[in-house]
Amino acid sequence: MHFSERRNTTRWVIILISFLIITLILWNTYTFFQIFKNEERLKMKLFADAQITIVNADENTDVELPLQIFSNNTSIPVVLMLYDNVVSSKNVPDEILNDKKQLKAFLKNLSSENEPITFEYAPGKYQHLYYGNSALLNKLKYYPIALLLIVFLFVALIYNFYKSTKMATQNKLWAGMAKETAHQIGTPLSSLIGWIEILKTEDIDSSITSEIEKDITRLQTITDRFSKIGSVPVLETHDIVTETLNAFKYLQSRFSKQVAFSYHTPQDPIMVQINPILYSWTIENLVKNAIDAMKGKGSLELQIEQDVNHVKINVKDSGTGIPKKQFKTVFETGFTTKKRGWGLGLSLTKRIVEEYHSGKIKVLHSEIGKGTTFQIQLNKKMQ
């Protein structure tokens, strides 16, 4: 308990320190941006002073320094305007300067980046200096966004790793529990088999021992299923129609007559590579899930269809239905709408179908208040 609390505290400390480091980086970036922006504005004020010097120059004026200021600007876009006319420009494409509509939009964009500098070059005469951000300043402006994106991707990577590790640990735990359950059931099951042999020698109605044997066989099947969890099952070629109907009819005989069972299947065998023990489990899970959705009363239909390469098994009920947004979440571990449910049935079914049998399972159709159809799709055994 203390170890778990200490680990959670350490995790939050690391998260807090990481957040502080990111905040400091972003703040420093913002500070650098403002410093560079102020420096560029000072350069533009020097540019304006140089323009005043050139405009008012005579034969005795030294214009070497102002001209040098103009020529040294190689990155900042500048447009000097007198009323609606361009006096001079720097680092601006000619197609913009020659098109009044483009020029107007360009000046508006420059004004949004930096406030224009208005200066008096002669008594009562003013020019307006429009300038934008340099390429370096623009890169620095988008740097925080790039940093946040990298941080987001890094967090997503950590979260995905953590989630995958947690799921792998959970899978190992469930597999271990399943195998241990199978082992624990095996001991009393062996004893029951011995007792049934003794009962057969007694003067007891054979129908009683026959029913007990069926339940023992059922327990052996359940034990076999649990023992296969976490292991790679052996797939064998079987008639999917026969295997499906065997599981379906077994459940039909065990449930209330208030559930109307029906099925529509091909007459000819359809050969598929399956593990019969695990496959029958998927059918039972779907049937039990359907009966729960109908609250033990309604109609349940099994359909088997096929095309050239696949066989499709549909289990259709007349239950409460599933909202479309939950079509995928119903297969997640822990998802359940029942008060007494672990949310393992459909998750386990999906794993058996997709991981062990290379098939697909999905909610084919559902309508609230009218019912749901689940579909399993498996690859046919090619001749």
Side-chain angles (χ1 to χ4, degrees), residues 74-79 86 88-107 109-110 132-133:
T74 58
S75 60
I76 303 175
V78 178
V79 179
V86 178
S88 64
S89 65
K90 188 74 173 178
N91 304 317
V92 180
D94 292 335
E95 57 266 23
I96 293 178
L97 297 173
N98 296 329
D99 188 322
K100 289 187 176 181
K101 189 174 182 180
Q102 287 191 55
L103 178 61
K104 185 177 179 180
F106 184 69
L107 293 177
N109 182 59
L110 293 182
N133 295 328

Side-chain angles (χ1 to χ4, degrees), residues 284-323:
E284 290 180 20
N285 280 337
L286 290 179
V287 170
K288 289 178 180 178
N289 184 74
I291 293 173
D292 287 339
M294 297 186 296
K295 297 181 179 179
K297 184 178 181 180
S299 61
L300 182 61
E301 182 181 357
L302 173 72
Q303 300 172 340
I304 298 180
E305 306 167 346
Q306 64 175 322
D307 55 29
V308 178
N309 299 316
H310 306 98
V311 57
K312 299 174 182 178
I313 302 96
N314 299 331
V315 177
K316 181 179 180 182
D317 64 62
S318 58
T320 55
I322 302 171

Side-chain angles (χ1 to χ4, degrees), residues 7-19:
R7 185 172 60 181
N8 286 333
T9 302
T10 303
R11 185 182 302 154
W12 280 109
V13 169
I14 293 173
I15 292 172
L16 181 60
I17 292 174
S18 301
F19 178 77

Side-chain angles (χ1 to χ4, degrees), residues 72-336:
N72 284 342
N73 176 29
T74 58
S75 60
I76 303 175
V78 178
V79 179
L80 189 62
M81 298 291 295
L82 178 60
Y83 303 109
D84 292 332
N85 299 318
V86 178
V87 177
S88 64
S89 65
K90 188 74 173 178
N91 304 317
V92 180
D94 292 335
E95 57 266 23
I96 293 178
L97 297 173
N98 296 329
D99 188 322
K100 289 187 176 181
K101 189 174 182 180
Q102 287 191 55
L103 178 61
K104 185 177 179 180
F106 184 69
L107 293 177
K108 185 177 180 180
N109 182 59
L110 293 182
S111 299
S112 66
E113 291 183 355
N114 299 285
E115 184 181 350
I117 298 174
T118 301
F119 59 92
E120 187 178 17
Y121 67 93
K125 296 181 180 180
Y126 297 90
Q127 290 183 355
H128 304 283
L129 180 65
Y130 294 84
Y131 71 99
N133 295 328
S134 64
L136 176 62
L137 202 60
N138 282 328
K139 288 179 181 178
L140 193 61
K141 180 172 65 176
Y142 293 113
Y143 174 76
I145 299 175
L147 179 63
L148 288 174
L149 182 60
I150 292 172
V151 170
F152 174 77
L153 293 175
F154 184 69
V155 170
L157 183 64
I158 293 176
Y159 174 76
N160 185 63
F161 174 77
Y162 173 75
K163 188 176 180 181
S164 299
T165 304
K166 186 176 181 181
M167 288 181 64
T169 303
Q170 288 179 341
N171 287 337
K172 288 181 180 178
L173 177 62
W174 286 117
M177 289 178 64
K179 290 180 181 296
E180 180 62 21
T181 301
H183 176 72
Q184 293 294 336
I185 292 175
T187 302
L189 190 58
S190 300
S191 178
L192 286 173
I193 293 172
W195 281 109
I196 198 67
E197 293 300 324
I198 293 174
L199 288 175
K200 286 181 181 180
T201 63
E202 302 292 333
D203 188 17
I204 296 177
D205 187 353
S206 61
S207 62
I208 296 176
T209 56
S210 176
E211 288 300 316
I212 295 176
E213 280 186 316
K214 288 180 181 178
D215 287 333
I216 290 176
T217 302
R218 173 68 175 166
L219 284 172
Q220 287 176 322
T221 301
I222 293 172
T223 304
D224 197 12
R225 287 172 179 173
F226 277 112
S227 68
K228 286 180 169 58
I229 295 297
S231 305
V232 179
V234 177
L235 301 183
E236 302 170 346
T237 303
H238 290 270
D239 175 18
I240 197 69
V241 177
T242 301
E243 296 296 332
T244 305
L245 286 179
N246 286 343
F248 191 74
K249 290 178 179 179
Y250 173 84
L251 294 170
Q252 182 179 2
S253 65
R254 293 295 192 275
F255 279 98
S256 167
K257 300 299 180 182
Q258 290 184 315
V259 178
F261 285 78
S262 63
Y263 54 88
H264 302 278
T265 63
Q267 296 296 321
D268 298 328
I270 303 175
M271 308 312 291
V272 177
Q273 286 274 81
I274 61 170
N275 181 284
I277 301 296
L278 294 180
Y279 174 73
S280 64
W281 201 355
T282 66
I283 299 300
E284 290 180 20
N285 280 337
L286 290 179
V287 170
K288 289 178 180 178
N289 184 74
I291 293 173
D292 287 339
M294 297 186 296
K295 297 181 179 179
K297 184 178 181 180
S299 61
L300 182 61
E301 182 181 357
L302 173 72
Q303 300 172 340
I304 298 180
E305 306 167 346
Q306 64 175 322
D307 55 29
V308 178
N309 299 316
H310 306 98
V311 57
K312 299 174 182 178
I313 302 96
N314 299 331
V315 177
K316 181 179 180 182
D317 64 62
S318 58
T320 55
I322 302 171
K324 193 169 184 179
K325 63 181 180 181
Q326 293 181 354
F327 277 15
K328 291 185 178 179
T329 54
V330 293
F331 295 105
E332 293 180 0
T333 303
F335 180 88
T336 180

